[in-house]
Amino acid sequence: MDEKIIMTYNDVNFSDLIDVISVERDIGNKRDVTTNPALTLGATVNRVKVGMKEIRVRFSLASVKLSDIQFVDTTQPYELRYKNLNKLREKIAGLLHTTVPLKLEFSDEPDRYYWALSDGDISLGAITTWYDEATITFLVPDGVAHSTTYKEVTTHRIESDRIIYTVDNQGTVDAFPIIEVEHEESNGYLAFVNREGISALGDESKVDADAYVRPSEPLLDFKGGRLFNSVSLPSSSYGSSSGGSRMEFISNNDRGYRLRITLETLSQNTSSRTSQVKMRAHLLNQGWTFALYDINASVTVSGQTFTYSGRPQMLTKNSSILLIEKTISVTHDGNGAKTISVSGWLTGQGGYSPNRLTVRTSNYSLPRLALSSHSSGHTQASGPNLAQKNVAVRNDNSDLQNASLKVENAWGRNHLALNALGTIGQNQGASSAGLTWVIPGSERTTNEYIWWRQIFWCGRVNQRGFLKVIVSDESGAFLYGVETIKRGADFETEYNFFATDGKGGFEFLKQWKFKPSHKNEENPFNRDRGWSDLNRKDDQVDVYWFGSHFRVTVPNIKGKKAAKIHVVLGGYPGSEWPTHMYLDELYFRMDFGKKFTDKPTNAFGKQSKVVINSEDDTIQVDGVMNANLLIDGAGFIRLPPGESELQFFASKWTRKMPRVTIRFEERWL
């Protein structure tokens, strides 16, 4: 006896509603061949169009559970499914009612599923009042069956400038891969190439931006759960200018030629009380170029001297040449501090080459070494503990900062959430909890990038609350920010970009509305998403919303430097705040390019994650959509049936190839 077939549609098991009699699937799909008569014999094929797939399911339905009836006996007890077939018919009609394809599965194909929707009439045969039969015709618009699991590509080999992956697609049509690229080092270019085409992002010809433009500086980095990681830090060092992880030292200028020495603290070891410091020496130029000249250089750092002698070619204007690169170990003083000296020189032969360039002796203060958390002057701190509490600058004073926060775990990750609201007075409508991070370092610019992940998902329609991300200047005045706010008892929620009006108040410059549900099409801040960013260049701000960036001119912040970043979570006493209103991640970067056309950073920074999704033709960088990275003429890669090769390229100058994960669903006609 054949095993009973179970049908599941939109994750609903239909076995309690119907009994599947048969499932009819044709071989392949309908083909429409367009031809023209040949001159002498046969025809010329102009086009072959492969149509949709059609699946017919014949089934029975009964108001009683047929498996309970062993033989026809009017006195035999049985279990009622529904009081009559009409109720059952209405139930099935409701489950099949959709305007978009939904997931369809059959138990006799446990490794396949279809995106399908019902078509035509589902006519009953009028057999009895308690039993009947009918046929559902499902249309599959994309024309294929999908594998229920993703296949991951693991076989690869490394060649000089690329990684070549061997792909085994056992489906009968092209597959659309999801490619994840995780960077440990900066990179400016990603390309995936096979016989079907190319998917390329960034700029292949661009040199390392860090080598000739002052790189952007990440000053707050609470990505990837680091907001909740507890670390031992000197109590007095956060927000001070006593030490930095990276510094540059520039020589005199000879016709645009300069020697640049960069020191960067890569890592620290508390047990050996040492830091690993990388030194790099670059020769920079502007309008002059040269070749076939002898160049000599020397750099002394922390008492160690490193030299260069050679005949480099410098044939491109506004470029750089790496002359020396060394990593040294530096032992810290007893209190965890350490300052080292650095100096250097370079000599050419005159003519087109540089004359003498000198970097005078300067000091470099390493980041203070984190001692034991029990040592005097040290504290065990996580991201929230590094912030000032309930002194946040806001766009208005309609809320009283007297609420408290907590760390809440949901869906396997930590979130910063409201814990309790405080009592408010007559002049305040809400209670809030604010966190204020002082932007570290003494140098400020009018160009910054803020990235964060927030969740705003209501469990009930009448919940109310708000989450704000705000920037203030050196005088403590409000500059600009965004708020996610649900004011009323309906489901309407606002996402607003606002800025100072220059008169002590604020003005809304961009406003959007959404529904804080679990649905991707309604809510950009649901469980699996929530990333957003703001990118400022003086008086212009790029605001991210639902997959796009909107550039806004803000005259009242021109020339004003960011000094603090504030996050505020609030609610309204007497009302529930949103069930899932969280801050998950936060990142602040200071830039040195003054225009959006300036490229102060490489396209893909350290620790960045890029997702190229050929299933829905999207590109994400750290969760934020950015289709502009796709190079003109490139598209989204496909993987052909059978065995094939997929080649991966990155920038030639990147210090370490990114880690790549490739996975795809196989598909069958």
Side-chain angles (χ1 to χ4, degrees):
M1 182 177 179
D2 293 337
E3 186 176 347
K4 180 180 177 181
I5 298 176
I6 304 298
M7 184 182 85
T8 302
Y9 187 60
N10 195 25
D11 294 326
V12 176
N13 188 324
F14 272 60
S15 60
D16 288 336
L17 304 172
I18 65 173
D19 291 303
V20 176
I21 299 172
S22 65
V23 179
E24 299 176 15
R25 310 176 187 90
D26 297 328
I27 297 176
N29 299 1
K30 181 180 178 180
R31 294 164 62 87
D32 182 10
V33 181
T34 303
T35 63
N36 283 332
L39 292 177
T40 57
L41 178 65
T44 301
V45 176
N46 290 337
R47 186 186 67 171
V48 178
K49 182 179 180 181
V50 180
M52 294 185 292
K53 187 178 290 294
E54 186 176 289
I55 301 173
R56 295 168 296 280
V57 180
R58 182 158 182 79
F59 66 94
S60 66
L61 66 165
S63 58
V64 299
K65 193 172 182 180
L66 296 180
S67 60
D68 286 350
I69 302 177
Q70 299 173 2
F71 55 89
V72 178
D73 183 350
T74 57
T75 64
Q76 179 182 337
Y78 55 84
E79 179 185 336
L80 279 174
R81 270 182 168 175
Y82 285 83
K83 290 183 178 180
N84 56 59
L85 282 185
N86 290 330
K87 296 293 185 182
L88 183 55
R89 173 179 55 80
E90 292 171 354
K91 175 72 172 178
I92 295 171
L95 293 173
L96 296 176
H97 181 64
T98 177
T99 58
V100 296
L102 300 174
K103 194 173 186 178
L104 174 66
E105 300 170 273
F106 299 100
S107 59
D108 65 335
E109 283 187 318
D111 59 345
R112 306 278 200 277
Y113 76 91
Y114 304 86
W115 290 111
L117 71 168
S118 63
D119 179 54
D121 297 331
I122 307 174
S123 300
L124 295 172
I127 298 175
T128 71
T129 58
W130 59 271
Y131 174 89
D132 219 326
E133 294 180 0
T135 298
I136 306 173
T137 299
F138 284 103
L139 294 183
V140 182
D142 67 1
V144 295
H146 299 255
S147 60
T148 55
T149 59
Y150 281 90
K151 176 181 283 189
E152 187 167 327
V153 179
T154 57
T155 304
H156 67 277
R157 67 182 188 273
I158 300 175
E159 295 192 356
S160 59
D161 62 342
R162 71 197 70 183
I163 301 176
I164 301 176
Y165 294 89
T166 300
V167 181
D168 182 18
N169 175 11
Q170 295 185 5
T172 57
V173 294
D174 289 349
F176 302 107
I178 299 174
I179 302 173
E180 298 181 2
V181 184
E182 297 183 56
H183 291 88
E184 290 188 31
E185 297 289 344
S186 295
N187 178 35
Y189 180 66
L190 296 172
F192 294 88
V193 183
N194 67 2
R195 67 175 187 247
E196 296 289 311
I198 179 172
S199 184
L201 285 67
D203 189 342
E204 182 181 14
S205 62
K206 188 175 179 64
V207 298
D208 184 2
D210 290 354
Y212 69 95
V213 177
R214 181 172 178 179
S216 297
E217 296 183 9
L219 298 179
L220 293 175
D221 187 357
F222 300 133
K223 286 185 177 181
R226 288 192 288 274
L227 184 64
F228 308 99
N229 291 346
S230 187
V231 295
S232 178
L233 292 173
S235 303
S236 60
S237 69
Y238 185 79
S240 74
S241 58
S242 60
S245 63
R246 179 187 178 118
M247 287 187 68
E248 296 177 350
F249 306 88
I250 307 295
S251 73
N252 57 300
N253 189 324
D254 174 30
R255 295 166 294 154
Y257 289 118
R258 290 170 297 159
L259 175 64
R260 184 181 69 195
I261 302 173
T262 304
L263 297 183
E264 180 179 9
T265 301
L266 301 178
S267 62
Q268 295 182 312
N269 188 315
T270 55
S271 59
S272 63
R273 306 177 66 80
T274 59
S275 288
Q276 299 299 306
V277 178
K278 175 179 282 189
M279 180 277 294
R280 289 186 292 170
H282 286 88
L283 174 61
L284 313 179
N285 74 337
Q286 291 180 340
W288 286 71
T289 61
F290 69 89
L292 302 178
Y293 283 86
D294 292 327
I295 300 294
N296 295 284
S298 174
V299 175
T300 300
V301 55
S302 191
Q304 301 181 55
T305 299
F306 307 97
T307 61
Y308 170 86
S309 180
R311 284 193 156 196
Q313 293 187 2
M314 200 167 204
L315 303 177
T316 304
K317 296 179 181 179
N318 297 309
S319 63
S320 69
I321 300 175
L322 177 62
L323 302 177
I324 307 172
E325 183 174 30
K326 296 290 182 181
T327 299
I328 64 172
S329 181
V330 178
T331 302
H332 284 250
D333 299 333
N335 62 358
K338 184 63 179 179
T339 298
I340 60 177
S341 63
V342 58
S343 62
W345 55 263
L346 178 146
T347 58
Q349 292 182 288
Y352 288 100
S353 72
N355 293 297
R356 186 173 179 88
L357 304 175
T358 302
V359 175
R360 298 182 181 276
T361 301
S362 303
N363 290 329
Y364 170 66
S365 296
L366 281 68
R368 185 183 292 266
L369 188 67
L371 305 177
S372 166
S373 60
H374 302 291
S375 301
S376 175
H378 283 70
T379 180
Q380 197 75 12
S382 60
N385 291 335
L386 297 173
Q388 298 170 300
K389 310 300 188 299
N390 286 346
V391 293
V393 173
R394 289 98 69 215
N395 57 307
D396 60 27
N397 294 315
S398 61
D399 57 308
L400 182 63
Q401 291 188 75
N402 61 355
S404 60
L405 298 171
K406 65 179 179 180
V407 176
E408 182 174 309
N409 188 279
W411 319 310
R413 66 179 192 263
N414 286 330
H415 317 268
L416 195 63
L418 271 177
N419 179 51
L421 300 179
T423 302
I424 61 173
Q426 293 182 347
N427 296 326
Q428 280 85 30
S431 171
S432 67
L435 292 176
T436 297
W437 285 274
V438 177
I439 297 170
S442 58
E443 187 171 6
R444 299 281 185 266
T445 73
T446 59
N447 313 294
E448 61 263 1
Y449 174 78
I450 308 167
W451 174 96
W452 71 97
R453 186 180 189 184
Q454 66 175 58
I455 306 298
F456 203 97
W457 176 10
C458 291
R460 295 183 179 87
V461 173
N462 61 354
Q463 292 176 339
R464 301 192 299 153
F466 55 86
L467 190 155
K468 302 185 181 188
V469 178
I470 287 174
V471 177
S472 64
D473 67 11
E474 295 169 301
S475 68
F478 164 73
L479 286 182
Y480 67 95
V482 292
E483 66 176 1
T484 309
I485 183 167
K486 187 173 182 296
R487 307 175 192 271
D490 57 9
F491 219 37
E492 184 175 274
T493 304
E494 303 167 34
Y495 187 73
N496 301 319
F497 172 71
F498 43 49
T500 176
D501 61 2
K503 304 173 185 178
F506 73 97
E507 55 186 344
F508 291 115
L509 299 176
K510 277 288 183 181
Q511 294 183 275
W512 298 274
K513 294 180 180 179
F514 69 99
K515 295 180 180 179
S517 71
H518 65 286
K519 298 180 180 179
N520 285 343
E521 63 271 21
E522 293 182 345
N523 184 8
F525 306 118
N526 58 15
R527 164 182 171 169
D528 297 321
R529 300 193 295 174
W531 296 279
S532 197
D533 67 5
L534 295 168
N535 191 5
R536 177 194 175 199
K537 295 289 183 285
D538 201 9
D539 63 343
Q540 291 189 314
V541 182
D542 270 5
V543 185
Y544 180 76
W545 169 251
F546 234 135
S548 299
H549 283 94
F550 299 84
R551 186 160 298 170
V552 183
T553 299
V554 191
N556 293 317
I557 66 173
K558 185 175 180 62
K560 297 181 179 179
K561 299 177 180 180
K564 295 180 180 180
I565 182 169
H566 315 266
V567 175
V568 181
L569 288 84
Y572 301 91
S575 298
E576 290 184 6
W577 60 78
T579 305
H580 303 292
M581 184 173 69
Y582 305 139
L583 175 71
D584 285 12
E585 301 176 83
L586 180 67
Y587 175 86
F588 181 93
R589 184 187 77 208
M590 183 167 64
D591 293 337
F592 296 94
K594 297 181 179 180
K595 300 178 181 179
F596 283 99
T597 52
D598 296 338
K599 299 297 180 184
T601 58
N602 296 309
F604 312 109
K606 293 181 180 180
Q607 310 302 321
S608 63
K609 181 178 180 180
V610 182
V611 179
I612 307 168
N613 191 333
S614 296
E615 288 187 347
D616 58 10
D617 291 351
T618 59
I619 297 169
Q620 294 183 30
V621 180
D622 291 331
V624 175
M625 297 291 184
N626 194 343
N628 293 331
L629 287 170
L630 195 66
I631 293 174
D632 290 344
F636 289 88
I637 204 76
R638 297 185 176 199
L639 305 177
E643 186 172 297
S644 63
E645 289 189 342
L646 179 65
Q647 300 187 43
F648 166 59
F649 299 84
S651 293
K652 294 179 180 179
W653 47 260
T654 189
R655 298 182 184 91
K656 187 173 183 179
M657 288 291 275
R659 185 165 66 88
V660 176
T661 302
I662 305 168
R663 56 191 175 93
F664 62 93
E665 286 184 346
E666 291 171 314
R667 309 188 312 150
W668 295 267
L669 287 173

